[in-house]
Amino acid sequence: MGNNMERIEHHASSDGWQDVYQHASTTLGCTMKVGVYLPPQAQHGKVPVLYWLSGLTCTEQNFITKSAVQRFAAEYGIAVVAPDTSPRGEGVANDAAYDLGQGAGFYVNATQEPWAANYRMYDYVVHELPARIEAQFPVTTERSISGHSMGGHGALVIALRNPGRYRSVSAFSPIVAPTQVPWGQKAFGAYLGGDQDAWKQYDSVELIRTAQERLPLLVDQGLNDEFVESQLRPELLRKVCEETGHPLTLNLRPGHDHSYYFIASFIGEHMAHHASALNR
Protein backbone atom coordinates (compact mmCIF):
# COMPACT_ATOMS: atom_id res chain seq x y z
CA MET A 1 0.00 0.00 0.00
CA GLY A 2 2.97 2.32 0.59
CA ASN A 3 3.12 5.54 2.62
CA ASN A 4 2.29 4.26 6.10
CA MET A 5 -0.25 5.92 8.30
CA GLU A 6 1.33 8.53 10.61
CA ARG A 7 0.46 8.50 14.30
CA ILE A 8 -0.65 11.92 15.59
CA GLU A 9 -2.19 10.95 18.97
CA HIS A 10 -1.17 8.29 21.51
CA HIS A 11 -3.12 7.58 24.72
CA ALA A 12 -2.98 4.68 27.18
CA SER A 13 -6.46 3.21 27.68
CA SER A 14 -7.62 0.01 29.41
CA ASP A 15 -4.11 -1.51 29.19
CA GLY A 16 -4.03 -0.87 25.45
CA TRP A 17 -3.45 2.18 23.26
CA GLN A 18 -5.94 4.59 21.76
CA ASP A 19 -4.18 6.30 18.88
CA VAL A 20 -5.15 8.54 15.99
CA TYR A 21 -3.44 8.24 12.62
CA GLN A 22 -3.52 10.27 9.43
CA HIS A 23 -2.69 9.27 5.87
CA ALA A 24 -3.06 10.40 2.29
CA SER A 25 -6.04 8.50 0.86
CA THR A 26 -5.71 7.38 -2.75
CA THR A 27 -9.46 6.66 -2.85
CA LEU A 28 -10.64 10.01 -1.48
CA GLY A 29 -7.88 12.29 -2.76
CA CYS A 30 -7.33 13.95 0.61
CA THR A 31 -5.74 13.42 4.03
CA MET A 32 -7.84 11.20 6.30
CA LYS A 33 -7.75 10.71 10.07
CA VAL A 34 -8.53 7.38 11.70
CA GLY A 35 -8.87 6.32 15.33
CA VAL A 36 -7.15 2.98 16.07
CA TYR A 37 -7.48 1.20 19.41
CA LEU A 38 -5.10 -1.72 19.96
CA PRO A 39 -6.07 -3.89 22.95
CA PRO A 40 -3.39 -5.35 25.24
CA GLN A 41 -3.64 -8.71 23.44
CA ALA A 42 -2.14 -7.06 20.33
CA GLN A 43 1.21 -6.92 22.12
CA HIS A 44 1.40 -10.73 21.89
CA GLY A 45 -0.22 -11.57 18.56
CA LYS A 46 -2.73 -10.57 15.93
CA VAL A 47 -6.28 -9.58 16.91
CA PRO A 48 -9.52 -9.20 14.92
CA VAL A 49 -10.92 -5.78 14.01
CA LEU A 50 -14.20 -3.96 14.53
CA TYR A 51 -14.75 -1.10 12.08
CA TRP A 52 -16.94 1.69 13.49
CA LEU A 53 -18.69 4.24 11.26
CA SER A 54 -19.89 7.45 12.89
CA GLY A 55 -22.85 9.65 12.03
CA LEU A 56 -23.61 13.09 10.63
CA THR A 57 -21.29 15.93 11.77
CA CYS A 58 -18.95 13.48 13.51
CA THR A 59 -15.21 12.93 12.99
CA GLU A 60 -12.89 10.12 14.06
CA GLN A 61 -12.99 11.61 17.57
CA ASN A 62 -16.60 11.20 18.71
CA PHE A 63 -16.73 7.45 19.18
CA ILE A 64 -13.27 7.03 20.66
CA THR A 65 -13.80 9.77 23.28
CA LYS A 66 -17.47 9.23 24.23
CA SER A 67 -18.42 5.55 23.89
CA ALA A 68 -16.14 3.82 26.46
CA VAL A 69 -15.55 1.15 23.84
CA GLN A 70 -11.92 0.65 24.91
CA ARG A 71 -12.69 -1.29 28.11
CA PHE A 72 -14.77 -3.83 26.14
CA ALA A 73 -12.28 -4.00 23.28
CA ALA A 74 -9.58 -4.77 25.85
CA GLU A 75 -11.74 -7.42 27.53
CA TYR A 76 -12.46 -9.23 24.27
CA GLY A 77 -9.15 -8.62 22.50
CA ILE A 78 -10.55 -6.67 19.55
CA ALA A 79 -8.92 -3.75 17.70
CA VAL A 80 -11.31 -0.89 16.94
CA VAL A 81 -10.87 1.27 13.83
CA ALA A 82 -12.94 4.46 13.59
CA PRO A 83 -12.41 6.58 10.46
CA ASP A 84 -13.65 10.09 9.82
CA THR A 85 -17.10 10.34 8.21
CA SER A 86 -16.13 12.00 4.94
CA PRO A 87 -13.26 13.40 2.89
CA ARG A 88 -12.05 16.77 4.15
CA GLY A 89 -9.84 19.65 3.09
CA GLU A 90 -9.90 22.97 1.27
CA GLY A 91 -10.11 21.36 -2.14
CA VAL A 92 -12.94 19.00 -1.17
CA ALA A 93 -16.51 19.94 -2.14
CA ASN A 94 -18.69 21.06 0.76
CA ASP A 95 -22.11 22.45 1.61
CA ALA A 96 -23.29 24.88 4.29
CA ALA A 97 -25.84 22.37 5.64
CA TYR A 98 -24.84 19.81 8.28
CA ASP A 99 -26.38 16.92 6.33
CA LEU A 100 -24.45 17.26 3.06
CA GLY A 101 -20.76 17.55 2.21
CA GLN A 102 -17.93 17.34 4.74
CA GLY A 103 -19.06 15.36 7.78
CA ALA A 104 -21.87 13.79 5.76
CA GLY A 105 -20.29 11.30 3.37
CA PHE A 106 -23.13 8.74 3.75
CA TYR A 107 -20.72 5.89 2.90
CA VAL A 108 -21.56 5.95 -0.82
CA ASN A 109 -19.48 6.31 -3.98
CA ALA A 110 -20.67 9.62 -5.43
CA THR A 111 -21.25 9.75 -9.17
CA GLN A 112 -22.32 13.42 -9.52
CA GLU A 113 -20.24 16.60 -9.64
CA PRO A 114 -18.82 18.26 -7.63
CA TRP A 115 -18.86 15.25 -5.27
CA ALA A 116 -17.55 12.43 -7.47
CA ALA A 117 -13.89 13.40 -7.21
CA ASN A 118 -13.63 12.83 -3.45
CA TYR A 119 -16.80 11.32 -1.99
CA ARG A 120 -16.05 7.60 -2.30
CA MET A 121 -16.45 6.56 1.33
CA TYR A 122 -17.90 3.17 0.37
CA ASP A 123 -14.72 2.13 -1.44
CA TYR A 124 -12.57 3.69 1.28
CA VAL A 125 -14.21 1.71 4.10
CA VAL A 126 -14.54 -1.57 2.18
CA HIS A 127 -11.16 -1.63 0.42
CA GLU A 128 -8.51 0.99 1.15
CA LEU A 129 -8.85 1.33 4.93
CA PRO A 130 -8.76 -2.40 5.79
CA ALA A 131 -5.86 -2.93 3.40
CA ARG A 132 -3.90 -0.23 5.23
CA ILE A 133 -4.87 -1.51 8.68
CA GLU A 134 -3.99 -5.11 7.86
CA ALA A 135 -0.64 -4.07 6.36
CA GLN A 136 0.48 -1.87 9.27
CA PHE A 137 -1.01 -3.29 12.48
CA PRO A 138 -1.00 -6.66 14.32
CA VAL A 139 -4.49 -7.64 13.15
CA THR A 140 -6.07 -10.59 11.40
CA THR A 141 -8.37 -10.46 8.40
CA GLU A 142 -11.35 -11.25 10.66
CA ARG A 143 -13.59 -8.16 10.54
CA SER A 144 -16.85 -6.91 12.00
CA ILE A 145 -18.60 -3.61 11.38
CA SER A 146 -20.87 -1.29 13.35
CA GLY A 147 -21.96 2.33 13.42
CA HIS A 148 -24.40 5.00 14.53
CA SER A 149 -27.13 6.83 12.57
CA MET A 150 -25.60 7.64 9.14
CA GLY A 151 -22.82 5.26 10.17
CA GLY A 152 -25.32 2.59 11.18
CA HIS A 153 -26.71 2.90 7.65
CA GLY A 154 -23.18 2.53 6.31
CA ALA A 155 -22.42 -0.52 8.44
CA LEU A 156 -25.60 -2.36 7.45
CA VAL A 157 -25.22 -1.55 3.75
CA ILE A 158 -21.55 -2.53 3.63
CA ALA A 159 -22.17 -5.83 5.43
CA LEU A 160 -25.17 -6.68 3.23
CA ARG A 161 -23.30 -5.88 0.01
CA ASN A 162 -20.18 -7.86 0.90
CA PRO A 163 -21.17 -11.39 1.92
CA GLY A 164 -18.38 -13.24 3.69
CA ARG A 165 -16.31 -10.13 4.35
CA TYR A 166 -17.59 -9.43 7.89
CA ARG A 167 -18.19 -11.87 10.72
CA SER A 168 -20.88 -9.71 12.33
CA VAL A 169 -22.72 -6.40 12.01
CA SER A 170 -24.59 -4.11 14.38
CA ALA A 171 -25.97 -0.58 14.42
CA PHE A 172 -27.24 2.09 16.76
CA SER A 173 -30.12 4.24 15.47
CA PRO A 174 -29.42 3.45 11.81
CA ILE A 175 -31.03 5.18 8.83
CA VAL A 176 -32.45 1.88 7.56
CA ALA A 177 -34.28 3.14 4.47
CA PRO A 178 -32.50 6.27 3.22
CA THR A 179 -34.43 6.22 -0.06
CA GLN A 180 -37.62 6.84 1.96
CA VAL A 181 -36.52 9.61 4.37
CA PRO A 182 -35.39 13.26 3.99
CA TRP A 183 -31.74 12.80 5.04
CA GLY A 184 -31.19 10.03 2.53
CA GLN A 185 -33.19 11.58 -0.26
CA LYS A 186 -31.22 14.83 -0.01
CA ALA A 187 -27.81 13.15 0.13
CA PHE A 188 -28.53 10.53 -2.53
CA GLY A 189 -29.99 13.13 -4.88
CA ALA A 190 -26.80 15.17 -4.58
CA TYR A 191 -24.24 12.35 -4.59
CA LEU A 192 -25.96 9.83 -6.89
CA GLY A 193 -28.26 11.95 -9.09
CA GLY A 194 -31.90 11.51 -10.01
CA ASP A 195 -31.93 7.78 -10.86
CA GLN A 196 -33.63 6.36 -7.78
CA ASP A 197 -32.83 2.80 -8.85
CA ALA A 198 -29.16 3.68 -8.24
CA TRP A 199 -30.07 4.74 -4.70
CA LYS A 200 -31.30 1.25 -3.79
CA GLN A 201 -27.77 -0.20 -3.71
CA TYR A 202 -27.22 1.88 -0.54
CA ASP A 203 -30.55 1.13 1.16
CA SER A 204 -30.58 -1.64 3.79
CA VAL A 205 -34.29 -2.38 3.44
CA GLU A 206 -33.89 -2.82 -0.33
CA LEU A 207 -30.71 -4.90 0.03
CA ILE A 208 -32.26 -7.33 2.52
CA ARG A 209 -34.82 -8.34 -0.11
CA THR A 210 -32.05 -9.90 -2.23
CA ALA A 211 -29.35 -10.60 0.40
CA GLN A 212 -27.10 -13.55 -0.47
CA GLU A 213 -26.02 -13.99 3.16
CA ARG A 214 -28.27 -14.03 6.24
CA LEU A 215 -25.82 -12.31 8.59
CA PRO A 216 -27.76 -11.64 11.82
CA LEU A 217 -28.47 -7.94 12.40
CA LEU A 218 -28.23 -6.42 15.89
CA VAL A 219 -29.88 -2.99 16.07
CA ASP A 220 -30.52 -0.75 19.08
CA GLN A 221 -32.92 2.20 18.80
CA GLY A 222 -33.81 4.72 21.50
CA LEU A 223 -37.53 5.44 21.73
CA ASN A 224 -36.93 9.04 22.81
CA ASP A 225 -34.79 9.65 19.70
CA GLU A 226 -36.04 12.83 18.02
CA PHE A 227 -35.33 11.32 14.58
CA VAL A 228 -36.94 7.91 15.04
CA GLU A 229 -40.18 8.61 13.17
CA SER A 230 -38.91 11.04 10.53
CA GLN A 231 -35.47 9.71 9.55
CA LEU A 232 -34.70 6.28 11.10
CA ARG A 233 -37.91 4.22 10.65
CA PRO A 234 -36.86 0.97 12.40
CA GLU A 235 -40.27 -0.53 11.72
CA LEU A 236 -39.34 -0.74 8.02
CA LEU A 237 -36.32 -2.87 8.91
CA ARG A 238 -38.39 -5.15 11.13
CA LYS A 239 -41.02 -5.58 8.39
CA VAL A 240 -38.59 -6.56 5.63
CA CYS A 241 -36.70 -8.94 7.94
CA GLU A 242 -39.98 -10.64 8.88
CA GLU A 243 -40.95 -10.91 5.22
CA THR A 244 -37.63 -12.42 4.14
CA GLY A 245 -36.71 -14.41 7.24
CA HIS A 246 -33.58 -12.33 7.76
CA PRO A 247 -32.37 -12.70 11.38
CA LEU A 248 -32.82 -9.44 13.31
CA THR A 249 -32.53 -8.48 16.97
CA LEU A 250 -34.16 -5.05 17.28
CA ASN A 251 -33.89 -3.58 20.78
CA LEU A 252 -36.21 -0.61 21.33
CA ARG A 253 -34.87 1.26 24.36
CA PRO A 254 -37.34 3.39 26.35
CA GLY A 255 -36.05 6.81 27.42
CA HIS A 256 -32.94 6.77 25.24
CA ASP A 257 -32.21 9.46 22.64
CA HIS A 258 -29.84 9.81 19.66
CA SER A 259 -26.76 10.73 21.69
CA TYR A 260 -23.56 9.01 22.77
CA TYR A 261 -25.13 8.48 26.21
CA PHE A 262 -27.27 5.91 24.40
CA ILE A 263 -24.31 4.31 22.63
CA ALA A 264 -22.24 4.13 25.82
CA SER A 265 -25.15 2.44 27.61
CA PHE A 266 -25.24 -0.54 25.25
CA ILE A 267 -21.82 -0.69 23.57
CA GLY A 268 -20.88 -3.56 25.87
CA GLU A 269 -23.69 -5.71 24.49
CA HIS A 270 -22.66 -4.89 20.93
CA MET A 271 -19.03 -5.72 21.64
CA ALA A 272 -20.09 -9.07 23.14
CA HIS A 273 -22.09 -9.74 19.95
CA HIS A 274 -19.04 -9.04 17.79
CA ALA A 275 -16.67 -10.93 20.08
CA SER A 276 -18.79 -14.08 19.85
CA ALA A 277 -18.45 -13.97 16.07
CA LEU A 278 -14.83 -12.79 15.82
CA ASN A 279 -13.43 -15.15 18.45
CA ARG A 280 -15.17 -18.30 17.24
Side-chain angles (χ1 to χ4, degrees):
M1 180 64 67
N3 67 321
N4 274 2
M5 301 167 72
E6 173 195 5
R7 191 171 72 190
I8 57 175
E9 290 186 33
H10 187 51
H11 311 282
S13 181
S14 295
D15 297 320
W17 294 100
Q18 178 62 64
D19 297 336
V20 177
Y21 288 80
Q22 67 180 13
H23 71 93
S25 169
T26 53
T27 303
L28 303 175
C30 68
T31 298
M32 287 295 286
K33 292 181 180 178
V34 184
V36 178
Y37 178 73
L38 291 179
Q41 295 86 340
Q43 298 172 33
H44 309 291
K46 292 186 174 183
V47 296
V49 184
L50 173 71
Y51 289 87
W52 172 272
L53 307 181
S54 288
L56 287 166
T57 76
C58 290
T59 70
E60 80 289 343
Q61 291 288 328
N62 299 71
F63 183 65
I64 66 176
T65 59
K66 296 179 178 179
S67 70
V69 69
Q70 293 86 356
R71 60 177 286 216
F72 300 104
E75 177 182 349
Y76 296 120
I78 297 171
V80 179
V81 174
D84 199 351
T85 54
S86 79
R88 297 196 192 257
E90 288 186 11
V92 175
N94 200 9
D95 189 271
Y98 76 94
D99 54 359
L100 190 67
Q102 296 187 30
F106 265 87
Y107 305 101
V108 304
N109 288 339
T111 58
Q112 305 300 303
E113 297 303 331
W115 313 104
N118 301 102
Y119 283 75
R120 303 186 61 79
M121 286 296 293
Y122 177 87
D123 277 354
Y124 176 72
V125 171
V126 175
H127 300 296
E128 181 181 355
L129 183 58
R132 289 184 178 278
I133 295 296
E134 289 160 19
Q136 187 167 340
F137 298 97
V139 300
T140 69
T141 56
E142 303 298 334
R143 312 175 193 93
S144 291
I145 192 164
S146 186
H148 172 233
S149 193
M150 177 185 74
H153 139 76
L156 294 175
V157 164
I158 286 170
L160 288 164
R161 284 184 58 177
N162 293 276
R165 190 167 180 82
Y166 300 93
R167 286 289 191 94
S168 55
V169 60
S170 75
F172 289 86
S173 321
I175 307 168
V176 302
T179 63
Q180 300 186 52
V181 299
W183 274 342
Q185 291 165 347
K186 176 179 179 178
F188 287 7
Y191 298 146
L192 304 174
D195 178 7
Q196 296 194 12
D197 280 338
W199 298 7
K200 293 179 180 179
Q201 66 183 315
Y202 298 109
D203 185 300
S204 297
V205 167
E206 296 291 340
L207 291 168
I208 285 168
R209 300 186 199 283
T210 57
Q212 298 174 23
E213 177 186 42
R214 294 300 184 194
L215 194 65
L217 311 180
L218 171 62
V219 174
D220 272 63
Q221 175 62 61
L223 291 178
N224 276 36
D225 188 321
E226 64 182 301
F227 304 113
V228 65
E229 294 181 2
S230 59
Q231 305 281 11
L232 307 178
R233 305 290 303 279
E235 74 280 1
L236 297 176
L237 183 66
R238 172 178 277 160
K239 182 172 184 286
V240 74
C241 286
E242 289 175 349
E243 290 171 353
T244 60
H246 198 110
L248 167 69
T249 300
L250 175 60
N251 298 313
L252 302 176
R253 305 292 191 177
H256 283 276
D257 58 22
H258 200 69
S259 72
Y260 270 82
Y261 297 110
F262 170 50
I263 296 170
S265 296
F266 301 105
I267 191 65
E269 295 179 20
H270 282 240
M271 290 300 288
H273 167 75
H274 295 299
S276 68
L278 289 169
N279 296 327
R280 271 201 298 264

